[in-house]
Amino acid sequence: MRKAIVIGAGPAGLTAAYELLDKANDIEVTVLEESEYMGGISKTVEYKGNRMDMGGHRFFSKVDKVNEWWEKMLPLQGEQTWDYKTLGVMVPLKAGGPDPETEDRTMLTRRRISRIFFERKFFDYPISLKFETLVNMGFITTLQVGFSYLASVFHKRPEKSLEDFYINRFGKKLYSMFFERYTENLWGRHPSAIAPDWGSQRVKGLSIAAIVKDMFGKVMPGKENREVETSLIEEFKYPKLGPGQLWDVTADEILKKGGKILKNHRVTGVIKDENDHLTGVKVETSEGEKILEGDIIISSMPVKDLVAGMNDVPEDMRSIAEGLPYRDYITLGVLVPKLLLKNKTKLRTISDIIPDNWVYVHDKGIEMGRFQIYNNWSPYMIKDIENTVWIGLEYFCYEGDEWWNMSEDEFADFAIKDMINLGLIADRSDVIDYHEEKVKKAYPAYFDTYSRMGELTEYLSSIDNLYCVGRNGQHRYNNLDHSMCTSFEAVNNIITGRKDKSNIWSVNTETGYHESK
């Protein structure tokens, strides 16, 4: 039998492993994961009974195969109805509910609510044109936004940067209010220094025109069948116990099918023979270094690390890989009795907290990029849902910088000051507990040697038994479903014997579809 080695137990890696075992009976599959967790940055971390979602993961896709795959792993069982006592979650009716023995292995239907917090006011994201938005902006700013957008309609800028991309779709005024600072905070670079590719992947069809179209589409005949931009969706699915639950279930299914998953096995090298054919990998374990032989290598590890650990790589290709940038981030989970922000929406929630899944922070003088309210992702992620609010404060950084090197207590003091300045809590005494999580290489960035990524892609595709999948495996800011699709394509190529890998690398290059921010 052929041996397949899958590097990384994130969404792409586990999807590839499961699909290979499900569709081929002549391939042994071994997954190598450097940590204890399944799911990569889609893992769920539990701390004293409260669960944290690393980055926030909405389960929504226009790809039928992905939706069917999720349904198979975590069924959305029974007829459902909205129950506002559980934070607007769709819950099964008693008559058609899930089997009590598998009750936890289900998906919930959630309302999608994300807003921008700017100058201590909430703005819908994507920006809406409703009366509340205009009031919050004020008459003068609204006029400036309108004229600025009209200018962008009649005078398109050549899209040489992400700044050009945003201004062409929203106008310079809205760009300066809601995109410029957040983007610079996220990437550590001004949008004028970032390639427009990121916008075309993450925002794509979203624009003022798309927002207007969606508004009218909601009131026109045939509204149920209208095409909706991903950033404008109003509902999504979510695992009851957080995103990591899906990947824990997938890992169990892989083991049932005879696959192997080796945790705490960090791949440090990929072995290539004189014919540019991979023969195996070097792995660092608690027992020392090992070499595992393989006929097929599916890699979801960062391209930068993959190439660095590969022998006999042309110098120009090695140089491109070395220069590929990433952005890391830190999440601080903070447990409080309540939030001071008032819920002025029409949506009811437990303790009447604001209903947002996450909130983008655009206030000047605040370093926080975003905060999640885990209560609103799933009430089952909170140990005491009636009396506590569990939020995640997100900060974008570089591994090894000042924030990264702070102790947990030092970083907590810094982040909690932001909470107080934003008006989330009154003072430090409101904090019951906190927990820090650091995530390396969370965001593949679109500057520096990224401009030559096409050359590196061509080189990696020339290695006959190497398949690069997923966000970091392709250095592409994919959403969860697109990362899975790269694995679907890779497995199809392996089974059919297709040599051309362009289908794997072209996932998520179509227009008009992607989540924003």
Side-chain angles (χ1 to χ4, degrees):
M1 293 182 71
R2 291 183 292 171
K3 295 181 179 180
I5 294 176
V6 179
I7 304 174
L14 291 177
T15 298
Y18 179 87
E19 289 293 301
L20 270 180
L21 291 165
D22 191 54
K23 293 180 169 53
N25 54 18
D26 63 338
I27 300 177
E28 294 180 1
V29 178
T30 300
V31 180
L32 304 176
E33 170 54 39
E34 67 174 336
S35 72
E36 285 280 349
Y37 291 99
M38 298 293 101
I41 63 171
S42 294
K43 66 184 178 183
T44 301
V45 174
E46 184 174 355
Y47 174 72
K48 296 183 180 180
N50 294 305
R51 292 178 168 84
M52 300 171 66
D53 180 343
M54 299 294 99
H57 292 82
R58 296 186 177 115
F59 287 72
F60 173 86
S61 181
K62 294 182 180 180
V63 181
D64 290 340
K65 185 174 181 179
V66 170
N67 287 314
E68 292 166 4
W69 206 93
W70 289 341
E71 175 72 18
K72 179 169 59 176
M73 293 297 174
L74 289 178
L76 189 67
Q77 295 185 27
E79 185 182 354
Q80 297 196 12
T81 184
W82 286 107
D83 182 354
Y84 289 100
K85 292 182 179 179
T86 51
L87 302 179
V89 63
M90 285 280 277
V91 296
L93 298 172
K94 291 182 179 179
D99 185 317
E101 293 184 4
T102 60
E103 185 174 16
D104 280 340
R105 289 182 60 161
T106 57
M107 285 272 200
L108 305 175
T109 300
R110 310 298 290 130
R111 292 190 183 278
R112 179 204 191 279
I113 304 171
S114 296
R115 291 181 292 175
I116 293 170
F117 201 47
F118 177 68
E119 295 183 348
R120 303 302 192 272
K121 297 175 183 176
F122 280 107
F123 292 83
D124 289 343
Y125 185 81
I127 295 298
S128 69
L129 299 180
K130 62 187 183 184
F131 182 70
E132 181 185 357
T133 302
L134 305 182
V135 170
N136 284 345
M137 283 187 183
F139 179 71
I140 300 298
T141 300
T142 299
L143 284 180
Q144 291 173 335
V145 167
F147 285 118
S148 176
Y149 174 66
L150 287 175
S152 72
V153 170
F154 294 106
H155 303 285
K156 294 295 183 186
R157 300 161 64 116
E159 291 189 357
K160 298 179 180 179
S161 69
L162 187 57
E163 180 175 61
D164 299 325
F165 178 92
Y166 278 135
I167 291 175
N168 280 345
R169 284 155 183 77
F170 299 95
K172 195 166 186 177
K173 183 62 177 179
L174 270 184
Y175 158 73
S176 67
M177 292 171 63
F178 298 136
F179 293 95
E180 185 174 21
R181 185 180 181 281
Y182 180 87
T183 303
E184 187 169 13
N185 192 2
L186 171 58
W187 294 113
R189 299 280 183 98
H190 191 268
S192 61
I194 301 174
D197 305 45
W198 187 79
S200 64
Q201 280 193 291
R202 302 300 294 183
V203 181
K204 287 193 175 175
L206 183 62
S207 64
I208 294 293
I211 293 168
V212 173
K213 179 182 176 182
D214 182 70
M215 288 175 60
F216 282 104
K218 291 177 181 178
V219 298
M220 296 297 286
K223 61 183 179 180
E224 295 81 5
N225 299 317
R226 78 187 194 281
E227 190 72 15
V228 181
E229 298 295 341
T230 308
S231 292
L232 298 172
I233 62 165
E234 297 176 348
E235 294 179 7
F236 61 92
K237 296 178 182 178
Y238 194 77
K240 185 174 179 179
L241 301 178
Q245 181 182 19
L246 174 69
W247 306 113
D248 289 337
V249 169
T250 302
D252 289 343
E253 295 301 316
I254 288 171
L255 296 177
K256 289 178 184 177
K257 289 180 176 291
K260 296 179 182 178
I261 299 177
L262 303 180
K263 299 179 182 179
N264 300 310
H265 278 59
R266 186 171 75 90
V267 173
T268 58
V270 181
I271 306 167
K272 182 157 59 72
D273 65 19
E274 63 277 7
N275 297 315
D276 273 355
H277 181 83
L278 302 184
T279 60
V281 299
K282 296 178 182 178
V283 184
E284 185 181 273
T285 73
S286 59
E287 300 173 352
E289 185 177 84
K290 297 179 180 179
I291 294 179
L292 301 180
E293 296 181 348
D295 304 296
I296 300 163
I297 308 296
I298 301 176
S299 174
S300 66
M301 70 188 292
V303 173
K304 186 172 191 169
D305 298 337
L306 173 72
V307 176
M310 190 182 296
N311 60 293
D312 299 327
V313 175
E315 192 54 40
D316 56 342
M317 296 298 105
R318 191 175 296 280
S319 177
I320 295 172
E322 286 177 354
L324 288 175
Y326 298 83
R327 194 70 159 148
D328 313 291
Y329 82 90
I330 303 172
T331 295
L332 185 75
V334 181
L335 190 68
V336 296
K338 63 179 181 179
L339 293 178
L340 296 182
L341 298 176
K342 300 297 182 183
N343 178 18
K344 298 180 180 180
T345 72
K346 296 180 180 179
L347 297 175
R348 293 171 54 199
T349 63
I350 290 179
S351 303
D352 206 33
I353 60 174
I354 58 174
D356 305 72
N357 310 121
W358 62 49
V359 174
Y360 301 106
V361 178
H362 288 233
D363 272 28
K364 295 178 180 178
I366 300 295
E367 299 294 342
M368 186 192 307
R370 189 174 68 177
F371 63 89
Q372 295 188 62
I373 304 176
Y374 296 121
N375 301 54
N376 295 342
W377 285 100
S378 168
Y380 303 101
M381 293 175 68
I382 315 302
K383 183 177 181 180
D384 184 1
I385 189 68
E386 296 285 348
N387 300 300
T388 59
V389 181
W390 179 231
I391 67 175
L393 314 180
E394 298 187 356
Y395 291 79
F396 310 115
C397 60
Y398 289 112
E399 180 183 356
D401 69 10
E402 180 184 2
W403 293 349
W404 191 271
N405 290 331
M406 285 182 178
S407 68
E408 182 176 57
D409 291 337
E410 289 173 335
F411 187 78
D413 287 342
F414 165 74
I416 290 168
K417 287 178 182 176
D418 269 358
M419 290 184 70
I420 296 170
N421 290 333
L422 279 173
L424 304 186
I425 58 175
D427 55 52
R428 184 69 167 72
S429 63
D430 289 337
V431 176
I432 299 170
D433 202 356
Y434 54 79
H435 176 69
E436 179 189 63
E437 286 289 329
K438 297 178 179 179
V439 181
K440 298 178 182 179
K441 293 184 173 64
Y443 304 110
Y446 287 36
F447 38 84
D448 296 344
T449 58
Y450 171 78
S451 60
R452 299 183 62 194
M453 186 64 198
E455 298 173 52
L456 186 58
T457 298
E458 186 176 349
Y459 169 71
L460 294 172
S461 296
S462 71
I463 302 174
D464 66 330
N465 60 337
L466 172 65
Y467 300 85
C468 295
V469 297
R471 175 183 283 198
N472 279 336
Q474 296 191 342
H475 199 85
R476 180 174 291 155
Y477 200 156
N478 283 328
N479 266 357
L480 172 61
D481 59 340
H482 284 124
S483 290
M484 294 175 64
C485 287
T486 61
S487 293
F488 292 155
E489 296 295 332
V491 169
N492 181 67
N493 284 18
I494 292 168
I495 293 174
T496 63
R498 173 174 171 165
K499 303 300 182 184
D500 175 22
K501 298 172 186 172
S502 60
N503 58 319
I504 305 173
W505 288 92
S506 64
V507 169
N508 187 27
T509 58
E510 80 280 10
T511 60
Y513 171 30
H514 222 303
E515 178 64 287
S516 59
K517 285 205 174 185

